[in-house]
Amino acid sequence: MMEYRKLPRGEERISVIGMGTSVVGATSVENVVETVSYALDHGINFFDMAGGHASIFPGMGKALEGRREKAYLQIHFGADYTSGEYGWNISLDGVKRSVDWQLKQLKTDYIDFGFIHCMDEEKDLKVYEKNGALQYLLDLKSQGVVRHIGLSTHAPALANRVLDMGILDIMMFSINPMYDYGQGDYAIGKGNERYELYRRCEKEGVGISVMKPFNAGQLLDAAASPFHRTLTPAQCIQYALDRPGVLSVMQGAANVEQLAENLSYLETEPEERDYSVIGSFTPDETKGSCVYCKHCHPCPAGLDIGLINKYYDLSRIGDTLAGEHYRTLERTAADCIRCGHCNGRCPFHVDQMERMAEIAAYFGK
C-alpha cells in the first residue's frame, strides 16, 4: 500500500514515492501513457514535469483523462518545450508561452505546484525577478490558477535566499548520500549546510520533493559509485525519506518495469531499507551528527531516539512547537538508562548517551 505525507501548507496528501519524467519520454508517447497509468493505478499521485522530452506532456494529458483530480503536477516556469525538446528560458514571454503550451498538452486549466525552475545562481534569480517572470507566477497564484509555489534548486545558499522571501510551499532539492557527502557535480554545500537546509524546511513548513535519489543510477552500480558500494533503490529511497522535511522521492522510471521495481520499496522489510553501510564513508563534517535514521533502534528503554533528536534540533533553531511535541512523548531523553546499545549501532558515530543527557538538560527533567 502506498504511503502518503501531508503537505504542511495545504491539505494535499502526497505519495512518498513520486514520479520524475526525465527519461520516460525518450521512446514514445505510448510509453508515457502506459507508465503514468501504472503509477496512478498503484497509488502514485505526485508527478514532476521537468522531463527531458516534450512527449511527456501529451502522454500525461492522455493518461490523466478522467482522473486529473488523482494527480498533483509540478510544472516549471522556465522549462521550455515549445521546440519539441527540453530548453531553459526564463524570459517573461518565454515563460508565458511555455506554460500555455504545457497546459494545453496536459488538458488542464490549473497547476498544483508552480515552480521557479532549476535555479542555482543568484544572478538567475535576479533576472527572474527583474523581468517579471516571478511576478507572473505570483499573479497566477493569486488568481487560483497555481495552487502552490515551489523552487527547484541544487544549491543551499540559493534555497535559503528564496526561503527568506516567504513565498514557498515546497522545494525540489537533490538528495542522496553522494551529494550529502560531497560527491558529484551537484554536491553543492557541505553536509552540515545541507542538513541545516532540511531542518529549516521542516521548521518553516516547506515540504521537500527529492530529485536525483539514485543519481542517475550511479548509486546502484558499484563500478560507477564513488563509494564503490552498491546501494539498492529501497536504501536510496529510505535515505531520502528520512531527511527532515521530505514529502516524496521523485524516482525517474523509464518504463513500467523500472517503476514496478522502485515501487517494490513499499513491500520491503526494514532490514532491506537499512542504509547503515553508508556510515563507512561518512565525511568528517557529518560524523557525530544525528540524521534521525533510527538505525540505533530498538532502544531497550523504549526511547524514539531519532524523534527525540529531531525535536531537540528543531527547538534549538526556534521551533516552539518542537518542544511541545517533545514533552508529549511517552519516553523522553530523561528516561535513558545509558546502556550503550544506541552508540554501538549508530553508523554516524553519534554518542547518543551523552546526547540524551544534553537533551534532558535542555528540556528539563
Side-chain angles (χ1 to χ4, degrees), residues 245-260:
V246 168
L247 300 175
S248 183
V249 177
M250 311 299 279
Q251 51 76 44
N255 50 46
V256 167
E257 290 72 26
Q258 286 187 11
L259 181 55

Side-chain angles (χ1 to χ4, degrees), residues 309-323:
N309 273 279
K310 180 181 286 189
Y311 288 155
Y312 175 52
D313 288 337
L314 289 171
S315 181
R316 286 195 303 163
I317 62 173
D319 187 340
T320 56
L321 287 177

